[in-house]
Amino acid sequence: QPILEVIVRQLAHHGFADIVMSVGYLAELIQAYFETANHKLPPVNLSYVKESEPTGTAGSLALIPGLDEAFLVMNGDVLTSLDYRALVEHHRKKGGTLTIAMHRRTVQVDFGVIRLDGEDRITGYEEKPSREHMVSMGVYVYEPRVLDFIEPGAYLDLPDLVLRLLDEGEKVVGYPFGGHWLDIGRHQDYEEAQALFSEADNPFLPDAENPC
């Protein structure tokens, strides 16, 4: 089952009825798949915005019409058990311009890390240390006024948009999430996703008691 279909089913399960896919490379194949699989999908209004040239993870939002109330944005290669409705409620409660879903990840450094003083004298050595970081899950909630900070047709990635908002004094908040989250673009996460999908209790599919 394609990851995009899983995401569409999850969003429908949490009450999202209008879904826009920003597509570029292989756009025709993606659209053809969903048109063919339409009879198997939950009832959602699925539409597409195609970029002629890549405009970044935030720049493509300028191409989408009708974003006049808070809206959810997410990467198409993310598998998570996140409750998207709870994320939107958190966004509204905190009153942010942008809310970023966050997950705590341990990052392994593949090299020995050397500490130096100002005279290039080694003061410490740590072999392949691990560090914990709160990282972005690639799932966000925007207020419509964020679009004022995105120039149509210009390339803009999400980190640069966040810095732009912070520079302008806008409120950017986080939503910590401790459940399942996998970035399928990473080989290790992809293998873990395959293992979880083979289990009877798949954490990424909607609750069987509340089917799409």
Side-chain angles (χ1 to χ4, degrees):
Q1 188 179 61
I3 182 174
L4 282 176
E5 183 177 339
V6 175
I7 292 173
V8 168
R9 291 183 177 278
Q10 289 178 329
L11 291 171
H13 178 77
H14 290 292
F16 292 83
D18 295 300
I19 300 173
V20 181
M21 290 190 184
S22 177
V23 294
Y25 179 64
L26 297 181
E28 293 78 10
L29 290 179
I30 294 172
Q31 189 168 351
Y33 174 83
F34 280 101
E35 289 175 353
T36 303
N38 188 52
H39 65 284
K40 299 186 299 182
L41 295 175
V44 295
N45 177 26
L46 188 59
S47 58
Y48 306 87
V49 167
K50 186 175 180 179
E51 296 180 284
S52 56
E53 295 290 337
T55 55
T57 52
S60 62
L61 294 176
L63 301 173
I64 302 174
L67 298 178
D68 52 5
E69 57 182 316
F71 57 94
L72 181 82
V73 176
M74 65 181 297
N75 297 343
D77 58 356
V78 170
L79 271 180
T80 178
S81 55
L82 174 69
D83 183 334
Y84 299 107
R85 184 185 292 273
L87 171 63
V88 174
E89 291 173 354
H90 177 86
H91 169 80
R92 289 173 173 159
K93 179 180 178 181
K94 294 295 183 179
T97 303
L98 169 65
T99 297
I100 304 174
M102 308 179 301
H103 193 275
R104 189 171 296 280
R105 266 277 171 105
T106 299
V107 179
Q108 177 80 45
V109 179
D110 293 333
F111 307 97
V113 175
I114 296 173
R115 297 190 184 91
L116 299 170
D117 64 12
E119 300 296 325
D120 290 334
R121 182 176 177 177
I122 294 176
T123 61
Y125 189 103
E126 191 174 3
E127 180 64 19
K128 297 182 179 180
S130 296
R131 299 283 188 267
E132 275 200 350
H133 299 279
M134 194 67 84
V135 301
S136 169
M137 293 174 58
V139 186
Y140 319 93
V141 182
Y142 290 74
E143 285 298 315
R145 67 176 177 274
V146 173
L147 299 174
D148 296 336
F149 298 88
I150 302 175
E151 181 183 351
Y155 189 95
L156 183 64
D157 278 328
L158 190 280
D160 295 320
L161 174 60
V162 171
L163 295 177
R164 187 174 294 180
L165 292 172
L166 294 176
D167 287 343
E168 294 296 326
E170 294 289 337
K171 185 177 181 180
V172 180
V173 300
Y175 178 72
F177 176 69
H180 289 281
W181 172 69
L182 297 172
D183 177 358
I184 304 303
R186 300 178 68 252
H187 183 70
Q188 181 179 348
D189 284 14
Y190 178 72
E191 290 185 334
E192 185 176 345
Q194 287 182 312
L196 288 170
F197 262 82
S198 67
E199 297 178 1
D201 187 18
N202 186 328
F204 303 117
L205 296 181
D207 191 337
E209 295 181 0
N210 300 286
C212 291

